[in-house]
Amino acid sequence: MTDSHAIAPTERPGMGAVPYDGGTSFRVWAPHASGVYVTGDFNDWNGRAHGLGREDGGYWSIEVPGAHHGQQYQFVITRDGADDLWRIDPYARMVTNSVGNAVIYDHGSFDWSGDDFDTPVWDDLVIYELHVGTFAAEGHERGTFERTRHRLGYLRDLGVSAIHVMPPFEFAGDQSWGYNPAHVFSVESAYGTPDQFKHLVKEAHQHGIAVILDIVLNHLGPSDLAVWQFDGWSENDKGGIYFYNDHRSNTPWGDTRPDYGRPEVRAFLRDCALEWLEQYHVDGLRFDAVNYIRTVDGITHDEGNQIREGWEFLQWLSDEIDARQPWKFTIAEDLQRLSAIVQPTSEGGAGFSAQWDADFVHTVRAGIIEPDDAARHVDGIASAVHGPLDVAWTSRVLYTESHDEIANGKARVPESIHPGDADSWWAKKRSAIGSALVMTSPGVPMIFQGQEMLEDSYFRDDEWLDWSKVDANTGIVALHRHLISLRRNREGRTAGLRGPGLTMLRVDDERKILVFHRYRHSGPGDDVVVAVNLTDQPVAEYAVGLPAPGPWAVELNSDAEMYSPDFGSHEVWDVTADGPEMDGCEQSGVLTLGPYSVVIFSRAG
């Protein structure tokens, strides 16, 4: 038996298993252990063959010559007068499964050569949210990283510039949304290997697509958690060293809130975020439910509900990312309309680049789902399009569908518009308005998998995306492709959709018409006017102020028959702004609009 107290710890840096030429170093945090051992394939699973040396702060480490990439291992934690604890490494970069063994993984073994991808700038970001298990399923087999990789050509042709991958971390079982991470440094083994996820990222980059990874730091697990009472210590029968052990532990997902006040836990979570950014080359992180990091119940603002340490952790982590890779995206899901989330840490904010816009999704969805045209509140939709004045326009992620908005009793937009008949004229027309507003409002647009093909099934992790709808709804796919192209200014005529400028030209709550001007610097090829008819009746001879004289060309008419055989192709003409002053503009033009349609004009010159 080895006396781990007498072993000299390694001087090599790094937590968990870190391969080096000729061996692997191991380091783990277990402050209440009387001894720590590492056992695995390299010592025939002799639990006491390799004892770790004690370091300051409750850390233990060792170098094991001959231990190498691909070998399985566990830590054995001894305690005075208690049974040994066999634990998967909290920093395990690979596991056999959520209750199996850790696997030594060498990040240096992957060939990143040729991955010289330039992360898109914020104003060129169009996000496609996907769930690996359902997005890339084939037959009776759930999706994998490899199958997702084979779908990248479709996404490239659709025109999106980023995919938002729902959490791919190892979770209990083989089927999940991903928001129950058991091992936050490991990819889900049912999806594939670390190398296969890296291949997905690398090939996405080759298609011009950034990868934004959904990360869960507001809770862990709650099941199959190796870090639960990791070294045997806990208070109040709670989670031990990685968790709060008082009332702050409680979340909707169990007593599994990390202790943001412990430096070792903060470092663990920081290392996790940086690992995916640096070792997996992902282009950004979307942080799940940060309102549960900064508050106990995720909602109330009273002082007793605040987790000051959580707020400080968010600020610290933002600063760490900005110091190392400031070009990477950081997006928060907070949904509490708190502008401080996206304010700089130097001004007391949390330092995120953007956050999901709860006002936009709820207001616009309500506006297009409402069955009675007379009850449709155009002024509310206008306010949602405009957004708050106290944050940058690129700090709002805009969407009408997300994994949360179309699950747990909430339906897809077309199904909500016409229950039981999601491919009806009504559902297609009004859901198209929602997509058009996402792509033309000032903000970062996002769609959820299948939205572009009129998927009508609510999101579940055991129901695959119906790819036959691509062929059944080729026109709706084309509509989204055209909207994305305009948003990204792929033809050089709609630069204003990539700019901050917004002026409401007409908010007509009586006629249910909304017209707004989008611009960056203004001028031909920049100025864009978006006209929206929110009724089932066509509009003729509708005079409205236009921001510049001369010709305005139709770039898109969502009523065009090319998008669906039952659309009316209402005649929409290019407009010449040569009419009288109107709507604060020195000139005006006369528009025609089809029922439930959006027309996008660019300033010709």
Side-chain angles (χ1 to χ4, degrees):
M1 182 182 298
T2 302
D3 180 4
S4 62
H5 296 271
I7 299 296
T10 180
E11 294 183 1
R12 297 179 186 275
M15 293 294 297
V18 182
Y20 62 87
D21 187 15
T24 298
S25 67
F26 296 88
R27 180 173 283 107
V28 67
W29 177 53
H32 299 92
S34 59
V36 179
Y37 303 83
V38 64
T39 184
D41 293 336
F42 43 80
N43 61 14
D44 295 325
W45 292 94
N46 184 337
R48 300 298 181 95
H50 287 96
L52 279 64
R54 188 192 296 270
E55 299 179 336
D56 293 339
Y59 290 94
W60 305 76
S61 70
I62 191 176
E63 294 179 18
V64 181
H68 58 78
H69 175 87
Q71 291 185 316
Q72 299 180 25
Y73 71 99
Q74 286 204 22
F75 289 120
V76 180
I77 296 172
T78 63
R79 303 170 295 158
D80 293 334
D83 293 339
D84 293 353
L85 300 172
W86 287 60
R87 295 288 193 245
I88 300 177
D89 180 5
Y91 277 80
R93 273 74 182 189
M94 185 176 180
V95 296
T96 57
N97 59 69
S98 61
V99 292
N101 295 320
V103 180
I104 299 172
Y105 176 75
D106 183 3
H107 278 298
S109 66
F110 186 81
D111 181 11
W112 282 107
S113 60
D115 187 47
D116 53 357
F117 180 69
D118 290 327
T119 302
V121 292
W122 275 99
D123 64 15
D124 193 34
L125 198 60
V126 177
I127 302 172
Y128 188 98
E129 184 184 6
L130 65 86
H131 173 260
V132 170
T134 56
F135 171 78
E138 294 180 2
H140 297 293
E141 300 292 329
R142 67 175 52 84
T144 63
F145 299 136
E146 285 294 288
R147 293 187 183 116
T148 301
R149 189 164 62 86
H150 297 153
R151 296 286 188 185
L152 288 172
Y154 167 83
L155 295 174
R156 176 203 59 215
D157 294 344
L158 185 63
V160 298
S161 56
I163 54 174
H164 160 189
V165 180
M166 289 172 63
F169 315 115
E170 184 70 35
F171 47 71
D174 292 337
Q175 188 168 289
S176 170
W177 289 22
Y179 296 97
N180 56 331
H183 302 284
V184 295
F185 284 81
S186 303
V187 296
E188 167 55 39
S189 51
Y191 291 165
T193 66
D195 279 4
Q196 287 172 332
F197 182 67
K198 288 178 179 179
H199 277 296
L200 170 61
V201 174
K202 185 176 180 179
E203 190 161 331
H205 289 170
Q206 291 168 349
H207 284 290
I209 299 172
V211 179
I212 299 171
L213 190 66
D214 208 333
I215 192 169
V216 185
L217 303 182
N218 55 71
H219 73 283
L220 301 175
S223 57
D224 292 3
L225 272 178
V227 292
W228 183 262
Q229 299 181 2
F230 182 73
D231 64 0
W233 175 86
S234 69
E235 291 180 341
N236 304 315
D237 198 30
K238 298 209 175 192
I241 58 174
Y242 279 91
F243 303 93
Y244 285 116
N245 286 260
D246 56 21
H247 72 284
R248 292 172 294 179
S249 69
N250 183 255
T251 76
W253 311 279
D255 283 322
T256 55
R257 181 179 281 118
D259 185 344
Y260 306 112
R262 280 182 180 255
E264 300 86 355
V265 178
R266 290 158 71 107
F268 171 73
L269 300 174
R270 183 265 326 266
D271 292 349
C272 170
L274 293 177
E275 180 116 349
W276 297 100
L277 290 169
E278 296 177 352
Q279 299 294 343
Y280 287 88
H281 290 205
V282 301
D283 303 279
L285 299 173
R286 181 264 189 190
F287 290 77
D288 179 62
V290 299
N291 50 316
Y292 283 98
I293 294 176
R294 61 181 183 83
T295 69
V296 176
D297 68 5
I299 302 173
T300 55
H301 299 288
D302 62 273
E303 186 61 31
N305 188 53
Q306 305 307 303
I307 304 176
R308 179 55 52 186
E309 296 162 342
W311 183 260
E312 292 170 351
F313 164 71
L314 292 173
Q315 294 178 309
W316 176 68
L317 182 54
S318 292
D319 288 342
E320 289 276 294
I321 294 172
D322 285 344
R324 298 167 73 125
Q325 295 189 331
W327 62 90
K328 295 292 179 77
F329 306 125
T330 57
I331 299 172
E333 180 201 29
D334 191 82
L335 305 181
Q336 302 301 305
R337 303 169 176 85
L338 185 65
S339 61
I341 293 291
V342 294
Q343 289 172 347
T345 58
S346 60
E347 299 175 10
F352 286 95
S353 307
Q355 65 175 321
W356 281 16
D357 191 326
D359 282 330
F360 184 92
V361 60
H362 295 150
T363 303
V364 172
R365 274 183 68 107
I368 59 178
I369 289 171
E370 169 58 52
D372 182 2
D373 288 349
R376 218 176 303 285
H377 296 297
V378 178
D379 50 353
I381 294 174
S383 179
V385 167
H386 192 285
L389 298 175
D390 57 347
V391 298
W393 72 282
T394 52
S395 71
R396 4 172 7 222
V397 176
L398 311 180
Y399 56 97
T400 57
E401 291 190 358
S402 73
H403 65 269
D404 280 330
E405 293 300 330
I406 60 168
N408 296 329
K410 292 181 283 188
R412 294 268 191 168
V413 170
E415 179 68 18
S416 297
I417 292 171
H418 201 164
D421 195 5
D423 62 351
S424 71
W425 179 86
W426 307 86
K428 287 184 290 191
K429 293 287 287 182
R430 297 215 302 268
S431 63
I433 291 176
S435 293
L437 290 174
V438 166
M439 294 298 166
T440 58
S441 299
V444 176
M446 181 181 78
I447 59 176
F448 186 72
Q449 63 178 41
Q451 185 173 354
E452 79 286 357
M453 61 181 81
L454 210 70
E455 176 64 83
D456 56 346
S457 296
Y458 69 90
F459 174 66
R460 294 169 24 179
D461 56 28
D462 61 352
E463 183 168 319
W464 314 150
L465 183 62
D466 183 359
W467 282 93
S468 70
K469 286 186 167 61
V470 172
D471 295 326
N473 296 296
T474 55
I476 301 299
V477 175
L479 173 62
H480 283 82
R481 186 169 62 248
H482 295 163
L483 285 168
I484 292 169
S485 179
L486 293 174
R487 170 60 177 78
R488 298 186 65 192
N489 190 31
R490 302 301 285 271
E491 301 298 327
R493 297 189 298 271
T494 53
L497 294 179
R498 290 181 56 174
L502 172 72
T503 301
M504 287 295 165
L505 300 174
R506 182 72 61 81
V507 182
D508 188 340
D509 201 48
E510 180 180 353
R511 297 284 299 275
K512 307 302 179 186
I513 294 172
L514 176 65
V515 184
F516 55 92
H517 173 211
R518 295 279 284 109
Y519 55 95
R520 177 185 285 173
H521 305 297
S522 292
D526 187 309
D527 287 309
V528 174
V529 166
V530 181
V532 185
N533 177 15
L534 288 152
T535 74
D536 63 0
Q537 297 300 311
V539 174
E541 302 295 316
Y542 191 81
V544 64
L546 292 172
W552 290 78
V554 174
E555 295 289 346
L556 181 142
N557 171 22
S558 70
D559 190 50
E561 190 176 358
M562 64 183 294
Y563 299 133
S564 182
D566 56 353
F567 287 7
S569 278
H570 185 81
E571 290 189 344
V572 173
W573 308 101
D574 295 346
V575 174
T576 299
D578 57 3
E581 294 184 16
M582 195 175 298
D583 301 316
C585 301
E586 295 181 359
Q587 57 283 312
S588 60
V590 178
L591 313 182
T592 60
L593 305 171
Y596 290 140
S597 64
V598 176
V599 180
I600 300 175
F601 298 91
S602 66
R603 181 180 170 189

